[in-house]
Amino acid sequence: ATVKVMVGAIKYSLSCLRPGSLLTIKKSAAIKAFCYSSSSSACANSTIYWQNVTRSTLIVQFPISPILPAVVVNAPTSVSKCGVLTLDVTSSTGNGGREWYNATAEVSSATGKSMDSLQGFLSKNFVYSPPLSIPLTLLQSGVGYTFVVRLCNFLGACSSNSKSVLVTADALPIVSIPGSSVRSISR
C-alpha cells in the first residue's frame, strides 16, 4: 500500500524530511486510512473497521514525478578580453523551496584547446549564488566557450542548460536582461 504524508517546514534545514530519511510513526499519532469515495454510504462505517497505524519506521522514497529544475544561465553572448564574464544561474527554478542539492558547471570549446585550468576554476568555485565572475586570465581572445550548468534538487531531479560565450579582442559594452530567454505574458 502507498502512504502519502505531507510534511511542512518553515525554514530550510538539513534535518528536514527528504528522500532517504527515516520517518517513525508513533502509535499515539492516531493515523488511520481515509475513505475516498463519491458514495457517502461506502465510507459511512469506514472509521469503525479501519484501525490506527501501529508504530512503524518508514524510509521516505523519491517521488515518481519529481519537480524538474528549469536551469537559466545568464551570461553575455560575447565579452571582450577587457570585460567581465559572469555566470548567473539565480533565475533558475525548481529547487522545491530548499537549497540546490548539487550545482555543477562544465566548460568546452570547439577549438580543441585545453580547458583544464578553466574547468578546475569552475569545479572549485561554482555555486548557485552569488553569480560567479570568471577571471579573464583563464580566457583567450577569439575563442568560443560553452558553459553547461547542471542543477539537482533534493528530490533527485536534475536538469541542465548551456550558454555559449565568445571572447573577442574588441572592447564591447555588455547589456543584459536577467531571466529566461523565453518570456510569456498573459492578461
Side-chain angles (χ1 to χ4, degrees):
T2 300
V3 177
K4 291 183 180 179
V5 178
M6 296 184 74
V7 179
I10 296 173
K11 186 177 179 185
Y12 172 75
S13 168
L14 291 176
S15 62
C16 285
L17 188 67
R18 63 178 168 255
S21 298
L22 291 178
L23 176 66
T24 301
I25 300 174
K26 297 181 179 181
K27 188 171 181 152
S28 62
I31 297 174
K32 77 171 50 176
F34 183 80
C35 183
Y36 287 101
S37 176
S38 58
S39 167
S40 59
S41 62
C43 294
N45 295 324
S46 64
T47 57
I48 296 170
Y49 303 111
W50 294 346
Q51 301 299 313
N52 286 351
V53 172
T54 59
R55 179 186 167 97
S56 61
T57 300
L58 309 167
I59 297 174
V60 177
Q61 301 295 313
F62 285 92
I64 295 169
S65 300
I67 299 167
L68 291 175
V71 180
V72 177
V73 183
N74 287 311
T77 54
S78 61
V79 63
S80 71
K81 187 72 172 138
C82 300
V84 175
L85 176 56
T86 301
L87 288 181
D88 183 355
V89 294
T90 58
S91 295
S92 300
T93 60
N95 59 352
R98 299 188 187 185
E99 296 291 324
W100 290 105
Y101 180 75
N102 192 15
T104 59
E106 294 182 358
V107 63
S108 63
S109 176
T111 62
K113 295 186 182 212
S114 174
M115 299 287 119
D116 291 345
S117 58
L118 180 52
Q119 184 60 57
F121 175 81
L122 291 173
S123 297
K124 183 178 177 183
N125 297 293
F126 182 77
V127 291
Y128 169 73
S129 180
L132 178 66
S133 292
I134 298 173
L136 296 174
T137 56
L138 297 175
L139 305 173
Q140 297 176 6
S141 293
V143 176
Y145 297 89
T146 300
F147 296 91
V148 178
V149 175
R150 179 178 168 92
L151 298 175
C152 300
N153 62 28
F154 78 102
L155 296 172
C158 300
S159 294
S160 59
N161 202 350
S162 64
K163 181 69 175 193
S164 294
V165 179
L166 174 64
V167 179
T168 66
D170 301 327
L172 299 170
I174 297 175
V175 177
S176 67
I177 301 173
S180 177
S181 58
V182 176
R183 308 285 175 136
S184 61
I185 300 172
S186 56
R187 299 183 345 140

